[in-house]
Amino acid sequence: MNRTGSLYVTGNSLFHRLDGAVKLVLFMAWTVMTYMFLDLRVFVLMLIVGITLLVTAGIPFKRMAFLFWLMIIFTVLNGIFILLITPTFGTRLTGTNTPVIPLGYNTINTETLFYVLTLSAKYLTLLPITILCIFTTQPSAFASSLNRIGIPYKIAYAVSIALRYIPDLTEEFRSTLNSMQARGMGISKEDGSIMQRLRNLAAVVVPVLQSALHRIDSVTNAMELRGFGTQKRRTWYNGKDMEPMDWIFAVLGVVLLGVGIWLKVKLLKNFWYPFS
């Protein structure tokens, strides 16, 4: 967390210099592209582009390690559940059945394994662009960009505050959990049954939520005392006009989305399975 209390990491990469609204356009186009397809070839290409942009942004791995491992764990667990619950789901997509791993009650086939690989690549494709948008965008600059494209400044400011306080809440949760563990109230396997650990976790979450609500109330009162929301328009300290590079990437995002829609309609309509 930097000195502004946000997740923003200072830098001078291409993504750092882009306008916040342009990043939002690129993120939306990227997300739509990801969910349109079920083709491993598309996801591999998008992953290469996303990882390249992520590396050039120069974000330290320890800053994004939590999101990275969270996404990896979710993807692995999701794949395991699919294989265990619907071991022959791939047959519905390909029309073929190649048994490979017996489970006793059923047999996982090659088609389902390839489907899980494709689905995992689909989820991981979203990771680089998400990290880039979060860690290369100043909350205030992002809020001013949203307001400039027509989003009411109250909503834009709410987004800015949310981005600023996420790391604060994370740090407060960690501190509260450490103090509870120092008093013998933990959430690991050695600290009792599942129900006991859930009760211990609730004892941590509840005070953190109460603190967050109190902080929200304090911020709301301070903003009301300063007349926030009385005017239809407002200025922004970090506001700036879009530069030619911003317009180029905004148009590029729309064009790529159009190309993606064309590919989906004309060429890559269904699940891609190379072994059929």
Side-chain angles (χ1 to χ4, degrees):
M1 185 175 68
N2 66 4
R3 61 184 181 143
T4 64
S6 70
L7 296 172
Y8 174 71
V9 176
T10 56
N12 193 36
S13 68
L14 175 63
F15 239 79
H16 279 90
R17 296 193 299 270
L18 286 179
D19 185 80
V22 175
K23 295 177 189 178
L24 180 62
V25 171
L26 292 175
F27 177 77
M28 293 175 64
W30 189 279
T31 303
V32 173
M33 283 275 291
T34 301
Y35 281 99
M36 273 197 307
F37 295 101
L38 200 57
D39 193 309
L40 185 60
R41 297 168 295 180
V42 176
F43 300 144
V44 169
L45 179 60
M46 293 178 71
L47 269 173
I48 292 173
V49 174
I51 292 173
T52 302
L53 291 173
L54 188 59
V55 171
T56 57
I59 302 172
F61 179 76
K62 64 180 181 179
R63 294 292 302 275
M64 56 182 177
F66 177 75
L67 284 177
F68 178 82
W69 290 116
L70 183 65
M71 191 65 179
I72 293 295
I73 292 172
F74 166 79
T75 303
V76 171
L77 291 177
N78 182 71
I80 292 174
F81 282 131
I82 291 175
L83 292 175
L84 293 179
I85 297 174
T86 56
T88 59
F89 180 80
T91 301
R92 305 180 193 177
L93 301 173
T94 63
T96 61
N97 184 19
T98 310
V100 61
I101 302 176
L103 295 176
Y105 60 90
N106 210 328
T107 302
I108 299 174
N109 57 26
T110 306
E111 290 79 4
T112 305
L113 286 173
F114 194 83
Y115 168 74
V116 168
L117 175 63
T118 303
L119 193 64
S120 299
K122 183 188 191 79
Y123 293 145
L124 292 177
T125 299
L126 294 172
L127 184 60
I129 193 69
T130 302
I131 291 176
L132 281 169
C133 288
I134 291 175
F135 289 95
T136 65
T137 307
Q138 277 188 327
S140 296
F142 184 55
S144 65
S145 301
L146 293 179
N147 184 224
R148 189 176 60 249
I149 63 175
I151 296 177
Y153 72 85
K154 294 181 181 180
I155 297 178
Y157 200 80
V159 172
S160 174
I161 291 178
L163 291 175
R164 287 179 180 277
Y165 282 109
I166 287 175
D168 287 343
L169 289 176
T170 303
E171 183 63 29
E172 187 170 348
F173 175 81
R174 187 179 294 111
S175 299
T176 306
L177 180 60
N178 290 339
S179 10
M180 291 291 189
Q181 288 177 329
R183 293 171 173 82
M185 184 182 293
I187 57 174
S188 59
K189 292 182 178 180
E190 296 79 13
D191 297 308
S193 63
I194 294 179
M195 293 304 299
Q196 180 61 43
R197 281 181 280 161
L198 288 176
R199 284 194 292 268
N200 293 347
L201 182 61
V204 177
V205 172
V206 170
V208 172
L209 290 178
Q210 289 177 338
S211 175
L213 292 174
H214 178 71
R215 186 175 300 174
I216 291 171
D217 186 59
S218 299
V219 172
T220 301
N221 292 335
M223 292 171 66
E224 288 180 352
L225 288 173
R226 289 164 175 79
F228 182 83
T230 57
Q231 304 295 326
K232 292 183 178 180
R233 298 176 60 87
R234 63 158 292 170
T235 57
W236 299 85
Y237 179 76
N238 289 324
K240 66 174 185 177
D241 295 328
M242 289 182 62
E243 299 178 357
M245 185 62 68
D246 297 319
W247 288 107
I248 291 173
F249 272 86
V251 173
L252 180 63
V254 175
V255 170
L256 288 178
L257 181 58
V259 172
I261 294 174
W262 181 83
L263 287 173
K264 179 65 177 179
V265 173
K266 297 294 184 179
L267 299 176
L268 310 176
K269 299 179 181 180
N270 302 314
F271 171 63
W272 179 67
Y273 183 64
F275 306 110
S276 59

